[in-house]
């Protein structure tokens, strides 16, 4: 983002240029008097900012942009005033004010990628995902190089929230801009985004463009979700070889291995490969990859032997726990996850691994340990809070604590839209197969929830399960066999058997 000091320099330069002009005659109108006064304040605000008095500078800028005479200033000066005021507000955490100012600034012809990037940052912090999507689309089309500084997880969060609230027009615009840009994430093609773009294009009747989008799907899991969903039949049935999930998974693993070898200083490519090998149940190979990295960390003189150590090491430990679970070594898996929970997540108390550990303890029939694992966690998203209440509910049910369980159920029911599958699983945990079946039908009927529901209904390879998990899986199978669920499945999709782990 353009720095405050750069803007200050522009304003002071403009002020010096104005001062160097010798007036031929005194101002003739009240309007020119007002404009001259505001211009003087504008230069003074820049001086205050240069002196580090950002609060005083912001107050003066606010008075300028909110004054009745603001429009009397020349357009370049109005633009600089809005941009500097918005930039200072953003840096000071006044996000509502910053967003409003930056939206105004972005409407000027002088607006550049710095202004739009700052607007994106403010919109994202304010959970204004529709405006964030507009910013992403605009940056992608007008200043494609600026997208290198936009984190991929922000893009995914924006799309997730747009889909959650049915903002299809905004999704289509953003995704089409990213596709035209040939945008990729850390793992290559963002196949999940391209699936959503293809779906939106099919809904619009633009089949030719939808097919072009589908050619860039590289994920076997995404391809699986498309071939079992009848909405994608115009694409998948026309080119079945392109959606051969076994072929795609083989290619995906080979590409991930190549990338891991090409980036030895990063953990993320290794974690990604391990997770792919979990899908194909190549547990020995996955365990070796995890152990190799852990040994490097433990034997290194460098506190952070990988460039992305702070962000990715907890996920390496998480992946190793998943591998041990796949091998049926559940106690070892729990010990591994417990170690991961001691490490911070995004600089805060750990959330993800703590919830995953509690879930594992639930499946091992150790409810007290599950509750201990989540006794203290960091900041939670709406989705994360649903996962937390889900693991707590299962622990309360195992402990026979009806009152505590009722509180978790009440929260899960009220916030079901934040994670509908979690609500369905909560009903299964209570043994309410019929209610869970009703939710499954609802998910299949809802275009936004359908894909995940269809993926969950498929048949997968057998993997080791604890007795608790076996019981829940039996309830899930009984739910899927309900006639109304079978009818809903047949209406919108199909069930196949895959060699992947569920």
């Amino acid at each position: 983002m353009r720095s405050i000091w750069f803007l200050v320099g522009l304003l002071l330069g403009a002020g010096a240029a104005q001062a160097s002009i010798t007036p031929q005659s005194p101002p003739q109108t009240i309007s020119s008097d007002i404009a001259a006064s505001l211009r003087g304040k504008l230069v003074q605000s820049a001086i205050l900012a240069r002196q580090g008095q950002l609060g005083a500078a912001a107050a003066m800028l606010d008075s300028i942009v909110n004054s009745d005479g603001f429009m009397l200033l020349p357009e370049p000066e109005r633009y600089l005033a809005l941009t500097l005021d918005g930039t200072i507000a953003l840096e000071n955490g006044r996000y509502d004010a910053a967003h409003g100012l930056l939206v105004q600034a972005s409407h000027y012809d002088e607006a550049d990628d710095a202004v739009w990037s700052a607007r994106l940052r403010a919109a994202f912090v304010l959970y204004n995902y529709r405006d964030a999507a507009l910013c992403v689309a605009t940056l992608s089309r007008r200043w494609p190089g600026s997208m290198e500084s936009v984190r991929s997880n922000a893009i995914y969060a924006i799309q997730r929230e747009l889909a959650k609230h049915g903002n299809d027009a905004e999704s289509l615009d953003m995704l089409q801009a990213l596709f035209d840009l040939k945008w990729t994430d850390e793992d290559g093609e963002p196949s999940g985004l391209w699936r959503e773009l293809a779906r939106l294009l099919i809904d619009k009747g633009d089949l030719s463009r939808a097919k072009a989008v589908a050619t860039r799907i590289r994920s076997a899991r995404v391809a699986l979700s498309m071939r079992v969903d009848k909405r994608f039949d115009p694409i998948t049935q026309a080119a079945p070889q392109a959606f051969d999930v076994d072929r795609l998974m083989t290619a995906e693993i080979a590409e991930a291995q190549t990338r891991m070898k090409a980036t030895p200083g990063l953990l993320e490519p290794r974690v990604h490969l391990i997770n792919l090998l979990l899908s194909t149940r190549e547990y020995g190979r996955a365990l070796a990859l995890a152990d190799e990295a852990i040994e490097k960390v433990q034997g290194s003189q460098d506190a952070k032997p990988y460039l992305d150590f702070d962000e990715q090491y907890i996920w390496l430990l998480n992946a190793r726990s998943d591998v041990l679970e796949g091998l049926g070594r559940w106690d070892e898996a729990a010990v591994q996850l417990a170690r991961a929970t001691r490490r911070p997540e995004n600089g805060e108390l750990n959330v993800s691994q703590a919830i995953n550990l509690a879930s594992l303890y639930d499946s091992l029939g150790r409810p007290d340990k599950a509750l201990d694992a989540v006794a203290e966690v960091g900041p939670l998203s709406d989705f994360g809070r649903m996962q937390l209440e889900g693991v707590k509910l299962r622990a309360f049910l195992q402990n026979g604590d009806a009152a505590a369980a009722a509180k978790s159920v009440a929260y899960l029911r009220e916030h079901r839209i934040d994670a509908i599958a979690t609500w369905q699983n909560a009903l299964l945990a209570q043994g309410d197969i019929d209610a869970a079946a009703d939710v499954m039908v609802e998910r299949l009927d809802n275009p936004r929830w359908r894909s995940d529901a269809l993926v969950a209904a498929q048949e997968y390879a057998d993997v080791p399960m604890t007795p608790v998990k076996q019981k829940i899986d039996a309830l899930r199978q009984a739910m899927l066999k309900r006639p109304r669920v079978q009818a809903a499945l047949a209406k919108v999709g199909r069930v196949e058997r895959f060699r992947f782990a569920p």
Side-chain angles (χ1 to χ4, degrees), residues 334-335 338 356-367 369-370 373 398:
V335 169
N356 290 345
L357 177 60
S359 180
L360 179 54
Y361 279 138
D362 279 337
S363 72
L364 292 171
R366 301 173 190 171
K369 282 186 171 291
Q398 290 183 42

Side-chain angles (χ1 to χ4, degrees), residues 80-252:
L80 286 174
L82 290 165
T83 303
L84 179 57
D85 200 9
T87 302
I88 293 175
L90 187 61
E91 292 304 308
N92 287 340
R94 297 168 52 226
Y95 298 114
D96 277 314
H99 185 253
L101 292 162
L102 293 165
V103 167
Q104 291 182 69
S106 64
H107 290 157
Y108 284 76
D109 291 339
E110 295 92 338
D112 59 9
D113 60 317
V115 169
W116 279 93
S117 294
R119 176 175 170 177
L120 169 59
R121 178 182 164 193
F124 190 82
V125 171
L126 292 169
Y127 309 114
N128 187 343
Y129 295 107
R130 295 177 70 181
D131 192 63
L134 172 62
C135 293
V136 170
T138 302
L139 289 166
S140 297
R141 293 188 175 108
R142 296 174 63 181
W143 302 281
S146 68
M147 287 300 296
E148 294 179 4
S149 63
V150 179
R151 293 173 66 104
S152 60
N153 60 356
I155 301 292
Y156 286 112
I158 293 167
Q159 173 55 30
R160 185 168 58 248
E161 291 299 320
L162 292 176
K164 177 179 173 182
H165 297 287
N167 301 130
D168 286 355
E170 291 81 1
S171 288
L172 179 60
D173 186 48
M174 181 183 76
L175 295 176
Q176 188 64 64
L178 290 170
F179 183 82
D180 293 342
L181 177 63
K182 295 182 172 58
W183 184 80
T184 58
D185 63 18
E186 295 84 353
D187 298 320
E189 293 286 359
S191 298
L193 296 185
W194 302 156
R195 175 190 61 197
E196 290 308 299
L197 177 56
R199 179 184 66 80
L200 292 167
L201 290 168
I202 290 172
D203 288 346
K204 279 190 63 179
D206 194 343
L207 188 57
S208 61
R209 187 175 293 183
K211 288 180 177 178
V213 169
T215 62
R216 281 173 52 188
I217 288 171
R218 301 287 185 269
S219 165
R221 291 281 187 180
V222 171
L224 183 158
S225 71
M226 295 175 71
R227 62 183 275 173
V228 301
D229 188 335
K230 290 183 178 179
R231 288 176 296 183
F232 295 102
D233 280 0
I235 295 174
T236 59
Q237 301 296 303
Q241 179 61 21
F243 293 88
D244 181 336
V245 295
D246 291 326
R247 179 188 63 80
L248 284 169
M249 181 59 81
T250 299
E252 202 174 354

Side-chain angles (χ1 to χ4, degrees), residues 430-446:
Q430 297 173 82
D432 196 341
I433 297 175
D434 287 329
D438 290 339
V439 174
M440 186 64 172
V441 171
E442 182 184 6
R443 292 173 68 194
L444 291 165
D445 286 343
N446 188 318

Side-chain angles (χ1 to χ4, degrees), residues 267-341:
L267 273 174
E268 187 277 329
R270 180 178 296 262
V271 174
H272 178 60
L273 176 57
I274 291 171
N275 285 324
L276 290 175
L277 295 173
L278 278 165
S279 289
T280 54
R281 297 171 295 148
E282 295 178 69
Y283 301 124
R285 185 177 169 192
L287 187 62
L289 287 170
D291 287 345
E292 181 181 49
I294 291 171
E295 288 172 11
K296 178 178 177 179
V297 169
Q298 294 175 343
S300 175
Q301 299 298 317
D302 187 351
K304 298 176 182 179
Y306 292 96
L307 294 175
D308 55 354
F309 179 87
D310 288 340
E311 300 84 9
Q312 291 295 327
Y313 192 61
I314 54 173
W315 292 106
L316 175 70
L317 300 180
N318 198 123
R320 188 176 189 275
S321 176
D322 290 340
V323 173
L324 293 170
E325 192 174 351
L327 291 167
R329 294 159 59 178
W330 297 304
D331 288 338
E332 293 177 67
V335 169
Q336 183 68 88
L337 261 184
R339 289 173 181 163
T341 63

